[in-house]
């Protein structure tokens, strides 16, 4: 009964968020099937060493920590728009590519198909309210740049605007489109990456601690900060190699 | 001259890392073109308000903070393997899907094509050495589960193993494959998400602070921790909406 009540409460909360956020990246919340609150018996096979407690099944839902990427695009009249996407990541090294997945209902969807280009704009934690806002209203109804006062800069490389005030941007050329279901995947080739000097190391690399970025936790509508340095990968791997 | 020296040093470091990591997800480092160390004049257009300093062009490189996903798979003989992937993310809500991109040279590439399935295993910071190790050696040469002592658990839902000791796992069925260049993208439908009770909220949602996860910074070979709570998205967006 407790579980059922939780799900009802959760449903109501998600419903309110959806009402609040409208045509939003938070609408992705609606896609989560309710968790099947059962424990898994996978560990109970006598052929396997049982070292840990069984895991709990949470159902088929995409609820992993995800990036907060603000996508810049122009509409057919050249009006700039920005929307927040979390279904996103790097997907190739040569050519360097990113993938972003958008619902057809978004204004950005049509813009990218029209202009074959977009930018990825990475906000700093002091800009979290903008990222939340860009994900909560649609460019179909609102000129989001006018509303926020942020500056759209026309890229010299692709037909899309980037956000002057955001510290890190990618300029991308659309190279593939893939229908997946609720979302359409756009694959963009990175033509250039640009950054504010303030977030670079003395050698010109990205300094994550200066970027002060953050990520999105789907299902709970929350942003979390990026944290501190954990370790260099080479010596971490060496720990296991030399243990053998 | 200073810039040139830096690039030579950087090249040597990357070379050493590649030698060290062999057939590794760190080999993705090799894909980074060297930065073109020029400032961008995009802001200098008289039609645009100049509010910030010009950005520095870093070249066409995929160097954004990225997830650390350990991919579980079986080879044709049913032997489990694990490799670390950072070119990855959620890509659809309905059906819930993830995308991972792998080089053809990896053992996991053939395994996924053979079994049409994989798991995504999310490590906690105490398991960072395993994630580094899984990304630094190939399953073609080494039985990584024997080498680490970690436990591969046969999924009841897909033909792939997940890692018992890792706190969060997704079981995925391959639904699409896409050639992109250096990397092949695999799109997997999430059939179930499973988690240790210790990383859940009292209501059964994912508690990022209990997960103690971490992310990868490409180009610098470093892991960074996930940090603390920044804010709820709805009230953050409201700040901008009510400012108008």
């Amino acid at each position: 009964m407790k579980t059922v009540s939780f799900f009802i409460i959760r449903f109501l909360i998600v419903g309110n968020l959806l009402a609040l956020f409208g045509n939003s990246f938070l609408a992705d919340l609606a896609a989560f099937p309710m968790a099947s609150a059962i424990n898994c018996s996978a560990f109970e096979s006598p052929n396997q060493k049982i070292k840990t407690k069984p895991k709990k099944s949470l159902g088929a839902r995409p609820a992993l920590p995800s990036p907060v990427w603000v996508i810049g695009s122009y509409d057919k009249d050249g009006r700039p728009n920005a929307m927040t996407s979390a279904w996103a990541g790097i997907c190739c090294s040569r050519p360097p590519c990113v993938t972003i997945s958008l619902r057809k209902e978004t204004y950005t969807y049509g813009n990218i198909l029209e202009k074959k280009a977009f930018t990825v704009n990475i906000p700093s934690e002091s800009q979290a309210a903008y990222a939340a806002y860009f994900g909560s209203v649609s460019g179909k109804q609102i000129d989001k740049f006018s509303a926020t006062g942020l500056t759209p800069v026309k890229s010299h490389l692709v037909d899309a605007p980037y956000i002057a005030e955001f510290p890190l941007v990618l300029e991308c050329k659309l190279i593939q489109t893939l229908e997946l279901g609720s979302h359409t995947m756009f694959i963009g080739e990175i033509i250039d990456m640009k950054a504010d000097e303030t977030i670079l190391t003395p050698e010109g690399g990205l300094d994550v601690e200066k970027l002060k970025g953050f990520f999105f936790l789907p299902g709970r509508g929350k942003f979390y900060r990026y944290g501190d340095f954990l370790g260099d990968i080479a010596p971490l791997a060496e720990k296991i190699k030399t243990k053998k």
Side-chain angles (χ1 to χ4, degrees), chain A residues 102-149:
Chain A
L102 309 181
R103 288 171 300 108
K104 282 197 175 65
E105 295 75 25
T106 62
Y107 199 50
T108 299
Y109 172 88
N111 290 358
I112 294 177
L113 283 183
E114 175 86 22
K115 299 291 184 179
K116 313 290 186 208
F118 61 89
T119 63
V120 174
N121 302 266
I122 310 290
S124 195
E125 63 176 68
S126 62
Q127 297 160 332
Y130 295 121
Y133 173 78
F134 284 141
S136 73
V137 293
S138 173
K140 287 180 184 173
Q141 282 92 40
I142 294 173
D143 182 329
K144 299 191 212 180
F145 279 98
S146 295
T148 56

Side-chain angles (χ1 to χ4, degrees), chain A residues 58-90:
Chain A
L58 303 175
R61 50 173 161 165
L64 298 182
S66 295
V68 179
W69 287 7
V70 175
I71 309 302
S73 65
Y74 285 124
D75 72 8
K76 61 182 186 331
D77 301 320
R79 195 168 59 94
N81 188 42
M83 75 162 281
T84 309
S85 172
W87 290 181
I90 294 167

Side-chain angles (χ1 to χ4, degrees), chain A residues 68 122-126 167 199 207-215 224-227:
Chain A
V68 179
I122 310 290
S124 195
E125 63 176 68
S126 62
I199 62 160
D207 187 324
V208 163
E209 280 156 299
K210 289 178 180 167
L211 170 64
K212 293 190 180 301
F214 57 97
F215 63 96
Y224 289 85
R225 292 181 179 88
Y226 285 151

